[in-house]
Amino acid sequence: MVVSPQTAIFDDYLEKKLRALLEAMVDGLLRDKPSDIDAFCLNWLVDWHRQHDPSDREELQSLTAERDALLARRNKLRDELLAAGQVLPAAEVKVPQDEETTEPEAASA
């Protein structure tokens, strides 16, 4: 058998993109043995997409990076205040009880 560059591309695609998805779907098919395979596969793919939606992962990564930057900024400011001899009060964490709760007013510096 002669392996062409096209075959290598197909193999790479199958290995990187489809293997995990197909193995999981075949596992579900063998486990559940549905009578309506088409409906099962459609529902399975919808659920799989919901759990593996790349846009959710991108948003999560973005929010995590933003949180990390804010925490680093907070730590830097806290260290600067401590170096200047400021005494920091214990932080109070306020959790809103419902959606109608308004945000607390910013304290003046």
Side-chain angles (χ1 to χ4, degrees), residues 46-59:
V46 167
D47 289 341
W48 186 89
H49 179 67
R50 192 175 298 128
Q51 295 171 4
H52 297 86
D53 187 6
S55 65
D56 288 346
R57 279 186 271 157
E58 290 171 4
E59 182 178 0

Side-chain angles (χ1 to χ4, degrees), residues 59-95:
E59 182 178 0
L60 179 59
Q61 288 174 343
S62 172
L63 291 171
T64 301
E66 183 179 352
R67 180 208 60 198
D68 292 344
L70 289 170
L71 288 173
R73 182 173 177 228
R74 180 204 64 185
N75 292 340
K76 180 182 174 191
L77 292 171
R78 183 182 59 208
D79 292 344
E80 289 174 3
L81 288 173
L82 290 173
Q86 295 287 328
V87 176
L88 301 177
E92 292 183 29
V93 177
K94 295 184 180 180
V95 178

Side-chain angles (χ1 to χ4, degrees), residues 15 18-30 44:
E15 189 64 35
L18 292 176
R19 183 189 262 316
L21 180 132
L22 290 175
E23 284 182 352
M25 186 187 321
V26 169
D27 181 54
L29 284 164
L30 294 173
W44 189 92

